[in-house]
Amino acid sequence: MRKVREVIVVEGRYDKNTLKQVVEATVVETRGFGVFNDKERLALLRRLAAERGLILLTDSDGAGFVIRNFLKGSIPKSQLKQAYIPDVYGKERRKTVPGREGKLGVEGMPPQVLLEALERAGATFEDGETAEKRQAVTKADFYELGLTGGADSAAKRAALLKKLGLPERMTANALLEAVNLLYSREEFWEKCYGGFEADRAAL
C-alpha cells in the first residue's frame, strides 16, 4: 500500500473508509457541509495544512465543489493540492437510489482511479516499507495528565491549547483528535511535557 505524506480531506466516513483501503494516509472528513459551521474542524484543517499540506478529494457533484471552494477560500493556496475524480454515473452499493446528480462519489471509485487522482494532484508518495503504526495518545493519557477529570482540567487544557497553537474553545475530545493527527504519542509527550520521564509532579 502506498503511503501519502499530505493529509487527504474527504466529505464523509464512507469516502474515508474507501480511501484507507487504497493508500496509507491521514484522512480527515469535512462531515459534508458541517465544516461550514464547525470552527474547530476548520481550525484543525488549517493547522494540518500548515504542518503537512492538504489534498482535497471531494465528490464531483455540485455539493462536492461547494465544499472544495469553501476550503480553497479558507486555506492558503500554497498548502492545498486539488485531486479530482471523474464524472462516473451510477449508484454506490450501499445506497438504494443514486445521488441527486446520479454521479458516483469518492466511495464508489475503483482503487486505481483514486490513485491516479492523487498522482495527478501531485501527492507526495513515500514509497518503501510501510511505516510502523504510531502509538496514539489516549483518553487515559489525558486523565493522567490532568487534562480531564480534575478540578483544574479546563485550565490545563487551555494552557495546552495555547502551547500547541490550537483554538481555545476546543473540547477535550476535539483536542485529543487534533493531538493524534499532529503527533505520535512520543512526540506529544516530548513536545508538551519533556518526554516520558518528565517529572509528573509538574503536570
Side-chain angles (χ1 to χ4, degrees):
M1 188 178 292
R2 302 187 71 183
K3 185 173 186 289
V4 177
R5 185 174 69 193
E6 293 89 355
V7 174
I8 305 173
V9 181
V10 297
E11 294 179 45
R13 63 189 176 98
Y14 292 104
D15 302 325
K16 179 177 179 177
N17 291 343
T18 296
L19 201 57
K20 294 288 277 184
Q21 296 174 47
V22 177
V23 292
E24 181 185 342
T26 300
V27 184
V28 179
E29 306 162 37
T30 67
R31 296 171 183 164
F33 292 146
V35 72
F36 295 174
N37 299 310
D38 190 339
K39 293 180 180 179
E40 287 184 357
R41 183 144 295 259
L42 183 57
L44 176 58
L45 289 173
R46 285 175 172 151
R47 177 64 182 274
L48 291 169
E51 294 264 343
R52 293 170 56 186
L54 298 184
I55 298 175
L56 299 185
L57 182 60
T58 60
D59 292 349
S60 63
D61 59 7
F65 274 86
V66 169
I67 294 168
R68 185 186 294 274
N69 290 332
F70 172 78
L71 292 175
K72 283 169 65 176
S74 303
I75 294 169
K77 184 177 179 181
S78 62
Q79 298 169 1
L80 285 176
K81 294 179 179 179
Q82 305 289 336
Y84 297 95
I85 59 171
D87 283 339
V88 177
Y89 290 87
K91 176 184 72 66
E92 286 86 1
R93 277 181 286 180
R94 70 178 178 87
K95 295 180 179 178
T96 55
V97 295
R100 180 177 298 178
E101 295 180 27
K103 298 176 182 178
L104 291 176
V106 169
E107 67 167 293
M109 291 291 120
Q112 189 58 37
V113 170
L114 293 174
L115 273 175
E116 289 172 357
L118 293 171
E119 288 170 351
R120 286 194 300 269
T124 306
F125 288 99
E126 299 175 336
D127 290 330
E129 292 186 11
T130 300
E132 183 179 341
K133 186 171 176 140
R134 63 186 194 177
Q135 191 174 3
V137 180
T138 65
K139 288 185 177 181
D141 290 324
F142 265 31
Y143 182 80
E144 182 180 351
L145 293 167
L147 296 168
T148 57
D152 59 348
S153 292
K156 287 187 174 183
R157 286 198 306 275
L160 180 59
L161 286 164
K162 185 174 182 180
K163 185 169 188 173
L164 296 178
L166 294 169
E168 63 180 9
R169 296 186 182 277
M170 268 193 166
T171 63
N173 285 336
L175 173 57
L176 182 62
E177 180 186 24
V179 163
N180 278 315
L181 286 170
L182 291 166
Y183 310 106
S184 67
R185 185 169 183 266
E186 186 173 357
E187 288 167 344
F188 170 70
W189 277 86
E190 187 65 41
K191 182 176 180 65
C192 301
Y193 298 104
F196 290 113
E197 303 306 321
D199 182 5
R200 299 298 177 84
L203 299 178

